[in-house]
Amino acid sequence: MNVYNQYPTNVLIAEDDDEDYLIFSLAIEELSFKVVLSRAENGDILFKLLDENNPDIVFLDLLMPCKDGRQCLREIRANRKYDSIPIIVYSSLNDLQNIEFCYREGSNMYAIKPHTITELKTILEKIFTIDWKKVLYFPPRSMFVLNPQ
């Protein structure tokens, strides 16, 4: 994914919390490159939008109704047609058990929800500058957990 080209990056976020989604969308708007943002408010809607939107990248909250992020991660990675889509777990959960689970199940990165839009913008800029086609499934060691603290 090259964020500096003329085409927008198609981003799908699975996030049920309206406030968290608002903060995420405001941070996206402040980025210096084009992003088309779609939202799935739960795990069931996520799978409908995966097929409709053909996203370049998915941000996945772990705590959602219907299907939680863990179930979604397993189902996405079990389906070969989604192999080329990077999945960034975007969660407030900051414990090693959840982080290890997500990497074992095929997450490409685990980003802990920050406390400010400025911190989120910094995290997003790092994520969007990664050439995911080269590092898919093998993120650089320094990028395993993005935590603003």
Side-chain angles (χ1 to χ4, degrees):
M1 173 181 354
N2 182 356
V3 296
Y4 299 106
N5 68 23
Q6 61 194 15
Y7 303 106
T9 301
N10 189 358
V11 173
L12 175 56
I13 182 169
E15 175 62 68
D16 65 308
D17 185 276
D18 291 336
E19 189 173 312
D20 284 346
Y21 174 73
L22 176 63
I23 291 167
F24 190 90
S25 64
L26 291 173
I28 290 281
E29 288 176 13
E30 291 185 19
L31 298 177
S32 60
F33 37 86
K34 300 174 191 172
V35 174
V36 175
L37 182 62
S38 302
R39 177 186 182 192
E41 294 174 341
N42 64 53
D44 290 335
I45 295 171
L46 172 63
F47 286 94
K48 292 175 187 166
L49 294 179
L50 269 173
D51 289 328
E52 292 173 10
N53 293 345
N54 192 25
D56 295 310
I57 191 166
V58 171
F59 286 83
L60 181 62
D61 186 20
L62 292 181
L63 304 174
M64 292 188 300
C66 300
K67 291 182 187 177
D68 70 10
R70 291 171 197 83
Q71 292 171 295
C72 292
L73 180 58
R74 279 186 168 155
E75 285 184 40
I76 291 169
R77 287 301 180 226
N79 191 328
R80 300 213 46 107
K81 73 179 177 179
Y82 303 130
D83 281 355
S84 65
I85 300 174
I87 300 174
I88 311 302
V89 172
Y90 179 64
S91 179
S92 56
L93 300 176
N94 188 8
D95 61 280
L96 191 57
Q97 183 178 5
N98 278 299
I99 294 168
E100 287 178 345
F101 172 87
C102 291
Y103 280 115
R104 269 194 317 274
E105 295 300 323
S107 170
N108 298 97
M109 186 176 289
Y110 194 106
I112 297 164
K113 291 181 182 178
H115 299 289
T116 68
I117 291 178
T118 303
E119 291 171 336
L120 177 55
K121 187 177 159 187
T122 300
I123 289 170
L124 291 173
E125 286 171 344
K126 289 177 184 178
I127 289 170
F128 287 123
T129 57
I130 295 171
D131 185 349
W132 288 103
K133 300 302 180 206
K134 289 183 181 176
V135 296
L136 203 58
Y137 302 113
F138 303 103
R141 188 171 266 301
S142 63
M143 299 295 285
F144 279 110
V145 178
L146 288 177
N147 187 349
Q149 299 168 4

